[in-house]
Amino acid sequence: MEKFEKITGVAAPMPLINIDTDMIIPKLFLKTIKRSGLGVHLFDEMRYNDDGSEKPDFVLNQPAYRNAEVIVAGDNFGCGSSREHAPWAIKDFGIKCVISTSFADIFFNNCFKNGILPIVLPQEQVDLLMKDAEKGANARMTVDLEAQEITTSDGDVVKFDVDAFKKQCLLEGLDDVGLTLKKADSIASYETMSASARPWV
């Protein structure tokens, strides 16, 4: 998994509340178990018309936000079904951080397991960041995980909390498999001891 340390990029404002996982990646695109290739379908029904053409009013279709790395979202982001394809699509599009007042629990935890930093902040701070994001491509926001700070284009600094274990996993780029492999020597030692003590197994 790619490490998350510090990013500086464009933030896309998405003030809509209750953006669920079916809006993030419709069920039509859940046939794959690959984590790549889903970015083109992110927010599919919000981004495209029935004929496949782009909806110009949708934020990620606007020139200023096509390369956004942060989403500043409305309340209860990632609600709905628990599909892990939702963070896969977000990450594949290029989004590395989502900021909201609240997230659905399963989506929230799936973000950390896929290298995305979800940040929960009070409404007034989300409003501040939303206003900064609305300035467009010239307003670049910095998210520093080590310092646990967000810096707006105007230099305002917003502190955020993050679970210490999840923070360390992101900083080191460790998903569940990576965490297991960190203990490979201990696992191998145990297996050797177990094979010696119970050769019939």
Side-chain angles (χ1 to χ4, degrees), residues 54-200:
E54 291 185 349
K55 296 179 179 180
D57 291 339
F58 183 66
V59 62
L60 296 180
N61 289 337
Q62 296 170 17
Y65 300 107
R66 284 186 178 273
N67 296 311
E69 294 184 68
V70 179
I71 289 177
V72 183
D75 189 52
N76 197 28
F77 191 90
C79 56
S81 67
S82 60
R83 64 191 68 171
E84 195 169 4
H85 292 69
W88 290 358
I90 289 172
K91 185 65 183 292
D92 192 58
F93 181 86
I95 302 295
K96 299 175 182 176
C97 176
V98 183
I99 302 167
S100 179
T101 52
S102 70
F103 294 88
D105 287 343
I106 294 176
F107 175 85
F108 183 78
N109 289 312
N110 279 341
C111 280
F112 284 103
K113 294 179 179 182
N114 288 281
I116 301 166
L117 174 61
I119 298 175
V120 178
L121 291 172
Q123 186 66 60
E124 59 270 20
Q125 292 181 328
V126 171
D127 290 343
L128 172 70
L129 298 175
M130 190 76 72
K131 186 176 180 180
D132 192 56
E134 289 170 352
K135 295 177 182 177
N138 292 326
R140 298 176 68 80
M141 192 177 292
T142 297
V143 180
D144 187 333
L145 177 56
E146 182 63 51
Q148 294 181 210
E149 292 180 346
I150 303 167
T151 305
T152 70
S153 62
D154 293 326
D156 295 315
V157 177
V158 175
K159 300 285 291 185
F160 63 88
D161 294 325
V162 61
D163 176 83
F165 175 71
K166 290 181 171 67
K167 173 182 177 179
Q168 198 59 38
C169 287
L170 280 180
L171 287 171
E172 295 184 31
L174 296 174
D175 57 12
D176 289 346
V177 174
L179 284 168
T180 301
L181 291 176
K182 280 192 73 174
K183 300 180 179 179
D185 290 344
S186 297
I187 294 170
S189 177
Y190 171 80
E191 292 294 340
T192 299
M193 180 188 68
S194 179
S196 176
R198 299 181 297 167
W200 61 86

